[in-house]
Amino acid sequence: MQVKKIKTHKLEKCYSIAPLEYKEQKHILVAAEKINKCLMFNLNGDLEDVIWEEPGGTMSMVQVPKSDGIFLATHKFYSPNDSKEAKIMVVSPMDNGTWNIKTLVELPHVHRFDIISRDGQSYLIAATLCSGRDFKDDWAHKGKVYFAKLPDDLSSYNENNQLQLTVIKDELLKNHGYFRGHENGYDYSVVGTEDGIYKIIPPTKQNTNFEIIQLLDAPASDMTLIDLDNDGNLEMIVFSPFHGSNLDLYKLQNGKYKKTWSFDKPFEFSHALWSGKINNQSVAILGHREGKKQLIALTMEHNEIKVYVLDENVGVANTFVYKNGDKTYIVSANREIDEIAFYEVV
């Protein structure tokens, strides 16, 4: 697998990436980790709009289902030690071409969030990295996972009328990783923590409780699930420990995940993870922010893991793959060189 870099843009400490459908067109959002902008691009990699100039601190962005350009975004999560003012915002396009940005809920240390659905009900899932800091690098206050039923109309929410959240799971040390999956007609969430990896399944109409299943009893910083070998079971690709240097593959054997492959070199400050189909092949796109700062692709060919180095010395924070016509592209937030890069798969 090979790529060519077709377009780049500068954005200091670029971090979060998300797709957005707006005015019947598909777009790509990229926002900064520090105090900086959120930018909107078309699928050719051309800058179309500046959504906000600041405050940034954007860890996650997710479009509201069935909306025309409305999305949720975190603000003011600048680092694990500077995230006590973090919140989730509602961002809506206005008729005059500007964007209205309002508070949905203030949630200190919120790192990842998502919108998942089951039986016609959408849920906001929000995961906090920790629950407080008494001093720098304090991990005594463990993270949590929250939920709320997401109303169809979010226009009434603001700083004075916030969405109410309920805790699903607490006591999660270094609650960092997140993956959204889909099975049996519904979405589910997976979170990666120092205490293990947990699958969170939303309730049915007949049940009010979320189901929580521990998939792995080992530290994890980030993870993604994909059927690399096409055997009908999802393999789990895991970075560990927190922002760590281990890249491992786990296969489902007798109902439990077992480590079957490890990257043969340190994958320093592992961070970016995407998985899906590229040209009908199951692929994971991965990145790390220290050492060789590589962007790599992971596939399985003839029952062997293949690693393709797509770029290096870039320091990827997050990455996303999309189709445009008959071509496939990768957009990468190359945080360590302040570069938003668009690659064409060739």
Side-chain angles (χ1 to χ4, degrees), residues 130-191:
C130 61
S131 295
R133 285 261 154 123
D134 295 332
F135 51 85
K136 184 178 180 180
D137 298 332
D138 173 21
W139 292 105
H141 309 283
K142 294 186 177 183
K144 301 176 183 179
V145 179
Y146 299 79
F147 89 95
K149 289 185 177 181
L150 195 69
D152 293 332
D153 184 3
L154 300 177
S155 61
S156 65
Y157 292 98
N158 54 51
E159 187 175 352
N160 299 314
N161 180 40
Q162 300 185 24
L163 186 67
Q164 297 300 304
L165 301 177
T166 301
V167 174
I168 303 172
K169 175 81 175 158
D170 60 6
E171 293 299 305
L172 296 172
L173 179 60
K174 299 179 181 178
N175 182 20
H176 182 268
Y178 182 82
F179 169 80
R180 181 207 297 168
H182 187 83
E183 63 185 11
N184 303 321
Y186 60 83
D187 302 323
Y188 62 88
S189 298
V190 180
V191 296

Side-chain angles (χ1 to χ4, degrees), residues 277-289:
K277 293 283 189 178
I278 297 179
N279 298 329
N280 295 317
Q281 183 179 28
S282 296
V283 180
I285 306 294
L286 321 172
H288 62 117
R289 290 165 47 184

Side-chain angles (χ1 to χ4, degrees), residues 15-31:
Y15 186 93
S16 184
I17 303 173
L20 183 75
E21 293 194 19
Y22 174 46
K23 294 184 176 179
E24 299 183 347
Q25 297 291 323
K26 293 183 178 180
H27 309 266
I28 300 294
L29 298 170
V30 184

Side-chain angles (χ1 to χ4, degrees), residues 110-145:
V110 59
H111 182 254
R112 299 294 187 209
F113 75 84
D114 199 5
I115 301 170
I116 62 173
S117 299
R118 185 172 190 178
D119 292 345
Q121 176 64 59
S122 292
Y123 300 90
L124 175 69
I125 303 294
T128 56
L129 183 65
C130 61
S131 295
R133 285 261 154 123
D134 295 332
F135 51 85
K136 184 178 180 180
D137 298 332
D138 173 21
W139 292 105
H141 309 283
K142 294 186 177 183
K144 301 176 183 179
V145 179

Side-chain angles (χ1 to χ4, degrees), residues 11 14-22 26-32 37-43 46-52 58 60-64 69-73 91-92 99 113 318-320 322 331-333 340 342:
L11 180 61
C14 52
Y15 186 93
S16 184
I17 303 173
L20 183 75
E21 293 194 19
Y22 174 46
K26 293 183 178 180
H27 309 266
I28 300 294
L29 298 170
V30 184
K37 301 173 183 177
C38 175
L39 306 177
M40 185 172 75
F41 299 89
N42 63 24
L43 297 191
D46 302 316
L47 179 63
E48 290 192 320
D49 203 354
V50 177
I51 308 299
W52 63 72
T58 303
S60 302
M61 298 183 288
V62 179
Q63 181 159 6
V64 175
I70 301 173
F71 67 99
L72 307 184
V91 186
S92 307
W99 296 80
F113 75 84
N318 286 289
T319 188
F320 179 74
Y322 64 92
V331 55
S332 179
I340 301 168
F342 288 84

Side-chain angles (χ1 to χ4, degrees), residues 15 33 80 176 221-222 239-246 266-272 287-294 315-317 335-336:
Y15 186 93
E33 175 181 1
H176 182 268
S221 185
D222 293 273
F239 295 154
S240 67
F242 179 65
H243 286 166
S245 59
N246 299 322
F267 207 64
E268 300 173 65
F269 206 132
S270 53
H271 209 276
H288 62 117
R289 290 165 47 184
E290 291 181 358
K292 293 187 177 181
K293 302 182 178 71
Q294 292 172 322
V316 187
R335 179 193 182 278
E336 304 310 313

Side-chain angles (χ1 to χ4, degrees), residues 75-78 82-88 106-109:
H75 276 182
K76 295 190 175 183
F77 188 113
Y78 300 117
D82 186 8
S83 57
K84 66 181 180 180
E85 296 182 0
K87 58 188 74 177
I88 300 175
E106 296 173 352
L107 184 57
H109 314 289

